[in-house]
Amino acid sequence: MSLDTNTNVVNKNEEFKPLIVAFCCNWCSYAGADLAGTSRLKYPANIKIIRVPCSCRVNINFVLRAFQNGADGVVIAGCHPGDCHYSTGNYHTRRRFSLITNLTEYIGVEKERFKVDWISAAEGNKFATVMNDILEDVYKLGPNKKLRDARWKI
Amino acid sequence: MENITKKIRAVAKQALIDKEVDKILGWKKGDLWSDSYPVFITKPEDTDTLIWDLFCINNLSKFLIKELTKHDKIGIFIKGCDSTSFNQLLKDNRINRDDVVLYGIPCEGMVDPEKVKKIMLNERVREIKKHENNFTLISKNKNIDVSGEEIKYDKCITCISPNPVVYDQLLSDEVENSKHSGDRFKRIEEIEAMSPDQRYNFWKGEFQRCIRCNACRDICPACSCVKCVFDNEDAEVSGKAKTEGEDTFFHLVRAYHVAGRCVDCGECARVCPAGIPLDLLNRKIIKDINEVYGEFNAGMDSTTPAPLVTFKLEDTDTFSKKGGK
Ligand code: SF4
Ligand code: SF4
Ligand code: SF4
């Protein structure tokens, strides 16, 4: 895929294959992804899962670097509030990423590209839905050109 | 202002003679009408260089981190914004309250020399006279009367704490807070009202001028980690390439790292040689914290925990129901 950063137009001859990076907490959301897999639920192959000990391990650097290095959308998924395996991690996630969601939107990144959600180990269905939804949104938006590092090639 | 200058000199001299403190941090006059800069004094006879005028804008609090490694007890003059910065340093455990003597100065706002130069264009300014909230700019050929709003720093027009919030001794009567009545979130709301692409282009235009000089990091009282994420080569976050992506990365990470601890002193934007309005990034975070987690002004005291180191079970968020706004 080639990007024309000046005109914001994707080369029409090449098909746009979005790349979504999903940071999933080890205890709930990653197990949710497993369940989606073993239940043979359909979710797109464009999702690259990165397993983290807890959703609060993810910081703004991870998200920005993912966007810079080729992601068109980023998801952060953790246990539902109250279910964190470290008791309080996702409460911190909730506050931090509330601010970061607004901050990235404030500098002009479309809010549909960046999602935070709670997915438990029993919610294989929800995992598939969340991933399908963001993929659909990102398809509509087209490739992420705003935060991409100009030096990065895929 | 002359009265306060006299008091500053007397207080500093006495404190050094009595050996109450072994160093004084204050301001002195430079060569130009608009130059007032920080000065460190250890000898009682040098205290006559100390001043207080319309240009004592430098926040002295951050110097304490380094100076307190060399001295046991330091006397420092602080305005409102310096005092909130001081509280932030206390809260972050960078300094000890017992090692510092604070001489508080209620502040009526400082004059931005750049704004004065724009009004006087090619005229050489000689002097600025203050009457109440108005000023007369005096040059060889003409006098121009202006209001405070026209020549004060932006951060002073929207200042929420002109009176020191912490001090050992106050050098004059408190000033009225209502003089500083500008709406500090007006500009933020204007940017929020733009389309995503407009916002992106606005920030891109600002960020790309960044020369990564780090002045904004150095001056900031909330930016005081011993080891900074930007200096950590192993973490691969210290990219120095002059690309759009790196510029955005630097600015978002810097702004977010002081979230909940930024005292809105505006120093980052003031010292930026590229004129990037960094305060518009930090103040956006303050606005969001106020809206989502309740009004919080960092530095008002030295004990209330910052919103990002705590939480409530019933907190709301910005990413689910309303989907990010
Ligand atoms: S921000 Fe407030 S305390 Fe600081 S210099 Fe301006 S008016 Fe004075
Ligand atoms: S002071 Fe300005 S130019 Fe220097 S690093 Fe900060 S934003 Fe960039
Ligand atoms: S980020 Fe800027 S306004 Fe906030 S505390 Fe630091 S220097 Fe002051």
Side-chain angles (χ1 to χ4, degrees):
Chain A
M1 186 180 64
S2 65
L3 296 167
D4 185 338
T5 44
N6 289 326
T7 58
N8 280 0
V9 169
V10 192
N11 189 337
K12 290 258 165 37
N13 298 326
E14 295 172 48
E15 202 197 337
F16 168 45
K17 290 199 203 78
L19 173 67
I20 312 286
V21 173
F23 293 97
C24 292
C25 102
N26 181 42
W27 305 102
C28 286
S29 311
Y30 193 81
D34 258 356
L35 183 63
T38 48
S39 321
R40 302 194 176 264
L41 292 170
K42 270 219 170 118
Y43 74 89
N46 314 41
I47 316 278
K48 298 274 176 290
I49 295 181
I50 296 177
R51 182 168 163 178
V52 286
C54 177
S55 58
C56 84
R57 174 64 184 93
V58 182
N59 70 30
I60 188 172
N61 306 10
F62 294 9
V63 176
L64 292 174
R65 280 290 188 242
F67 276 125
Q68 277 183 301
N69 294 357
D72 300 299
V74 173
V75 183
I76 293 170
C79 312
H80 286 264
D83 291 346
C84 176
H85 284 55
Y86 307 98
S87 326
T88 58
N90 52 7
Y91 290 119
H92 290 287
T93 309
R94 188 165 65 183
R95 283 210 166 186
R96 289 177 196 164
F97 282 98
S98 284
L99 297 185
I100 292 172
T101 304
N102 283 12
L103 193 62
T104 45
E105 199 193 346
Y106 183 65
I107 64 139
V109 178
E110 300 86 356
K111 62 181 180 234
E112 291 82 3
R113 288 192 194 279
F114 177 54
K115 281 201 169 60
V116 185
D117 219 323
W118 316 122
I119 303 171
S120 84
E123 293 178 321
N125 263 324
K126 182 164 183 195
F127 184 88
T129 316
V130 169
M131 298 305 155
N132 282 322
D133 284 355
I134 185 164
L135 195 70
E136 201 175 298
D137 285 343
V138 169
Y139 257 123
K140 277 187 211 142
L141 288 170
N144 149 42
K145 290 174 294 280
K146 289 177 178 169
L147 289 179
R148 182 158 302 181
D149 190 328
R151 299 164 297 169
W152 184 260
K153 296 211 174 53
I154 28 174
Chain B
M1 300 214 122
E2 289 75 30
N3 279 341
I4 298 181
T5 299
K6 266 189 213 145
K7 268 197 195 154
I8 285 181
R9 291 179 182 171
V11 161
K13 191 174 225 158
Q14 205 54 47
L16 286 172
I17 290 173
D18 296 345
K19 300 222 171 1
E20 195 195 344
V21 300
D22 36 339
K23 192 172 220 172
I24 292 274
L25 309 189
W27 304 273
K28 77 175 214 179
K29 203 65 203 157
D31 294 333
L32 295 174
W33 56 277
S34 58
D35 277 355
S36 300
Y37 51 78
V39 61
F40 301 173
I41 290 176
T42 48
K43 297 195 199 98
E45 59 270 27
D46 292 343
T47 50
D48 284 343
T49 56
L50 288 168
I51 52 131
W52 171 254
D53 67 4
L54 294 168
F55 306 98
C56 295
I57 188 78
N58 265 82
N59 183 342
L60 304 175
S61 297
K62 182 127 188 218
F63 291 115
L64 287 171
I65 298 179
K66 251 194 194 144
E67 292 304 313
L68 280 171
T69 60
K70 295 180 263 174
H71 298 273
D72 294 332
K73 193 126 185 172
I74 291 182
I76 180 173
F77 294 95
I78 52 170
K79 344 179 252 299
C81 55
D82 304 11
S83 73
T84 49
S85 309
F86 179 81
N87 268 340
Q88 190 53 46
L89 293 172
L90 282 182
K91 199 187 283 185
D92 289 340
N93 283 322
R94 298 315 317 273
I95 51 175
N96 276 329
R97 180 68 180 88
D98 296 341
D99 298 342
V100 187
V101 182
L102 300 170
Y103 309 106
I105 310 176
C107 172
E108 296 189 332
M110 294 288 154
V111 168
D112 184 347
E114 295 304 319
K115 291 190 181 172
V116 174
K117 281 178 203 159
K118 268 187 202 138
I119 295 172
M120 294 300 263
L121 289 176
N122 295 325
E123 299 284 329
R124 191 176 292 189
V125 181
R126 284 180 167 174
E127 203 189 337
I128 297 184
K129 277 215 175 102
K130 183 169 192 290
H131 358 257
E132 288 298 309
N133 200 28
N134 295 314
F135 297 84
T136 311
L137 313 179
I138 301 165
S139 75
K140 195 175 165 201
N141 303 321
K142 60 178 172 187
N143 294 353
I144 300 184
D145 289 323
V146 292
S147 72
E149 267 60 35
E150 285 173 86
I151 58 166
K152 277 186 197 172
Y153 277 100
D154 290 344
K155 70 173 209 171
C156 297
I157 296 169
T158 56
C159 174
I160 55 164
S161 60
N163 296 303
V165 294
V166 51
Y167 55 82
D168 295 307
Q169 188 183 337
L170 205 58
L171 300 190
S172 72
D173 294 336
E174 297 207 342
V175 297
E176 235 181 278
N177 209 344
S178 59
K179 274 190 190 148
H180 309 246
S181 57
D183 177 0
R184 64 207 268 251
F185 297 121
K186 193 164 153 263
R187 200 58 196 109
I188 313 288
E189 278 157 13
E190 283 165 18
I191 298 174
E192 283 170 346
M194 298 178 183
S195 74
D197 286 347
Q198 280 174 328
R199 280 199 295 267
Y200 183 75
N201 286 330
F202 169 77
W203 284 114
K204 181 174 143 187
E206 298 292 340
F207 292 163
Q208 70 184 3
R209 298 199 306 275
C210 176
I211 54 173
R212 225 62 62 73
C213 66
N214 289 329
C216 50
R217 275 167 62 189
D218 292 343
I219 198 99
C220 172
C223 234
S224 65
C225 299
V226 178
K227 179 117 191 173
C228 175
V229 63
F230 289 116
D231 299 329
N232 182 354
E233 282 168 27
D234 296 336
E236 293 186 358
V237 286
S238 48
K240 348 187 224 299
K242 191 59 199 139
T243 64
E244 215 175 298
E246 289 296 329
D247 289 339
T248 314
F249 184 85
F250 174 80
H251 282 90
L252 289 190
V253 172
R254 189 207 63 82
Y256 177 69
H257 274 197
V258 294
R261 302 183 303 115
C262 164
V263 299
D264 205 8
C265 66
E267 283 290 271
C268 47
R270 181 183 69 85
V271 297
C272 176
I276 302 171
L278 296 164
D279 49 337
L280 296 182
L281 266 187
N282 289 98
R283 210 171 289 138
K284 161 70 177 164
I285 300 178
I286 295 176
K287 179 170 179 280
D288 286 342
I289 289 176
N290 287 352
E291 282 169 10
V292 187
Y293 301 115
E295 173 115 9
F296 179 83
N297 291 305
M300 283 300 164
D301 63 59
S302 59
T303 48
T304 317
L308 282 179
V309 300
T310 143
F311 62 85
K312 287 196 185 115
L313 294 185
E314 66 278 12
D315 275 344
T316 49
D317 62 58
T318 65
F319 43 75
S320 58
K321 282 153 260 129
K322 288 179 278 168
K325 183 81 203 179

